[in-house]
Amino acid sequence: DKESPSNFFPHIQHSDSDPDFQAKMLPLIKKQVAQKLIEGWEYAYLYDRIKTNTGKEQLYGTQLMYDDKNNAIPKRLKDKENVNKRRQELGMGTLEKYLENATEAHKKMNQKN
């Protein structure tokens, strides 16, 4: 059943109170990406989330914060020069486009009526 892994993924992704569980699931998620059972971005998000939640640098730039002008910027990012190559390997768009979209969405959500 191709939908089962993707139905389980949000539970893993949002288990921030149990980083050990997330870390144990990471290799399984990577295998499912290789088998094309789930999307590469799901692995990237989980990988980055584990790293940033444990005070380490992320690889794919999926975990964001916002500057004083509400522009999205990646939390600590390792090897920024090659981030788009890593993202491309997982079928993801560029970091620049991701940040642009996140900034736009953030500004829309925080508009004063």
Side-chain angles (χ1 to χ4, degrees):
D1 179 8
K2 205 170 182 178
E3 295 198 21
S4 295
S6 60
N7 288 340
F8 187 59
F9 178 76
H11 299 292
I12 299 168
Q13 175 74 1
H14 295 284
S15 294
D16 292 331
S17 62
D18 194 351
D20 290 338
F21 169 70
Q22 288 177 320
K24 285 177 188 164
M25 293 295 106
L26 196 60
L28 300 174
I29 297 294
K30 192 170 190 176
K31 280 183 187 174
Q32 290 182 335
V33 170
Q35 295 170 355
K36 302 207 182 309
L37 295 173
I38 63 171
E39 301 293 325
W41 66 263
E42 293 175 294
Y43 172 79
Y45 273 75
L46 182 59
Y47 180 93
D48 283 355
R49 193 169 187 130
I50 291 168
K51 292 298 182 184
T52 58
N53 284 345
T54 56
K56 297 183 177 96
E57 294 175 306
Q58 60 180 323
L59 281 179
Y60 302 98
T62 64
Q63 303 301 296
L64 305 176
M65 57 187 173
Y66 295 86
D67 66 16
D68 58 355
K69 293 181 179 153
N70 285 326
N71 293 310
I73 53 175
K75 292 180 180 178
R76 295 177 52 206
L77 181 60
K78 184 176 185 174
D79 187 24
K80 187 174 182 177
E81 299 77 31
N82 293 303
V83 67
N84 285 329
K85 181 181 177 192
R86 289 189 299 273
R87 291 174 65 89
Q88 183 180 17
E89 288 169 356
L90 292 179
M92 301 168 72
T94 65
L95 178 62
E96 293 78 12
K97 187 67 177 167
Y98 176 67
L99 295 176
E100 182 183 313
N101 291 342
T103 295
E104 188 178 308
H106 184 73
K107 287 180 178 179
K108 276 184 185 174
M109 284 189 322
N110 292 293
Q111 277 179 350
K112 292 194 166 65
N113 293 331

